[in-house]
Amino acid sequence: MNPEPRMHLSITHDTRYRYSPSVQTAQHVAHLQPAHTPCQKVVSHVIWIEPQATVVHHIDAFLNHRAYWALTHPHDGLTVRAHSEIITKPLPPGSSKQSWESVREHFRYRGGHAGDVHSGYVFGSHHAPVNEAFVAYAQSSFPPGRPLQQAAQELTARMHRDFHYETASTDINTPALEALQNKRGVCQDFAHILVACLRSLGLPARYVSGYLLTQPPPGQPRLVGSDASHAWASVYVPELASHASQGWLDLDPTNDRCGLASPGEDYVRLAVGRDFADVSPLRGVLQGGGSHTLEVAVTVAPLGI
């Protein structure tokens, strides 16, 4: 019997802020620690912070690892390095014939009846709102009676064909409706659009942040710090709730990749939420520091098993 295919990945995520003038006090929250999932095991994780601070770890409402720290003295910069080692593996195959309409009806509100625990992912959020424009775009992939799993994968593939990946064409404040209209953006735009399309059809969808192992050109070395964090979407299929994926089908329109609980063994899930606002890698509340510069470097590299 062939051994189960696995990947052992090393991930280093560096963030550097420089402030002018100095920040007097600050409080920060980070989502930089991957979680154990059905298809990934966290071998190790460590976070370094300069200036030094006491880090408090929590599990948030979406079961993500969240780190918090406060800086109570003046500082003109902040450096955060998160390093993780992850082993990923594929899950057993699984498929569902459950129609998308039956899933929509499953999540329709009924007074006096208990709701599904995943019902919160049906409602619009700031970066992934419910809007008829998303219905209009998605509808051709969702004809009557089509299985949700098949329809969602077809929509993912169609977005991959229709949308142009263009670095720096958008930022986190670009509305998903604008990115849909222009049909260009980056991975977080495509993830928000896909989540918004699914929610606008009454389906539960969540935003996923993480990493993707990229391959350097043939004959070229892997460059340190040249990778970036990644984002994709996930839709819940109740018929697959007993599967190892716990019912979640992951969808990456940037690369046209789909899979139960993960688009593939070369992906690492960092955090999940309603949209980017729930899973921002690093955010803070500052006193002082009128302007700042930001540098982010990510390296994802394979290790021997």
Side-chain angles (χ1 to χ4, degrees), residues 15-246:
T15 307
R16 297 182 182 89
Y17 282 97
R18 295 293 178 262
Y19 306 119
S20 178
S22 297
V23 168
Q24 300 303 302
T25 63
Q27 298 182 60
H28 292 278
V29 173
H31 289 96
L32 289 168
Q33 179 176 349
H36 290 293
T37 75
C39 52
Q40 70 183 39
K41 174 185 177 182
V42 181
V43 178
S44 65
H45 172 80
V46 65
I47 185 169
W48 295 275
I49 299 168
E50 178 60 40
Q52 293 185 353
T54 299
V55 180
V56 179
H57 295 274
H58 299 281
I59 300 296
D60 69 13
F62 304 101
L63 304 182
N64 304 310
H65 290 281
R66 182 173 62 185
Y68 164 82
W69 65 91
L71 298 171
T72 58
H73 51 277
H75 51 285
D76 57 12
L78 172 68
T79 299
V80 179
R81 165 169 285 192
H83 179 76
S84 303
E85 288 190 19
I86 310 290
I87 293 178
T88 66
K89 66 177 183 178
L91 296 184
S95 62
S96 167
K97 298 299 183 183
Q98 187 173 18
S99 72
W100 72 270
E101 297 101 328
S102 69
V103 177
R104 179 189 62 192
E105 292 306 309
H106 175 80
F107 283 93
R108 192 183 297 276
Y109 173 77
R110 293 178 177 83
H113 294 266
D116 190 289
V117 68
H118 302 300
S119 294
Y121 289 115
V122 174
F123 302 104
S125 58
H126 177 73
H127 294 293
V130 169
N131 189 282
E132 283 300 317
F134 296 114
V135 175
Y137 179 76
Q139 197 69 69
S140 65
S141 299
F142 289 80
R146 193 174 203 179
L148 172 56
Q149 185 174 5
Q150 180 184 354
Q153 290 173 331
E154 201 280 333
L155 175 60
T156 301
R158 185 155 60 86
M159 283 189 62
H160 180 71
R161 295 192 302 269
D162 290 351
F163 287 73
H164 178 63
Y165 188 96
E166 188 174 323
T167 303
S169 61
T170 60
D171 59 36
I172 189 54
N173 296 311
T174 301
L177 280 169
E178 181 180 324
L180 173 67
Q181 180 180 8
N182 294 332
K183 291 194 168 48
R184 69 173 185 267
V186 295
C187 59
Q188 68 185 19
D189 299 300
F190 303 158
H192 282 142
I193 291 169
L194 182 50
V195 169
C197 285
L198 294 164
R199 288 180 184 166
S200 296
L201 292 168
L203 302 167
R206 65 188 185 183
Y207 180 95
V208 188
S209 70
Y211 307 100
L212 172 61
L213 174 65
T214 57
Q215 299 297 333
Q220 298 296 315
R222 185 177 301 278
L223 300 179
V224 174
S226 64
D227 298 317
S229 55
H230 193 46
W232 58 97
S234 187
V235 65
Y236 182 68
V237 185
E239 193 173 74
L240 294 174
S242 61
H243 183 267
S245 63
Q246 301 170 346

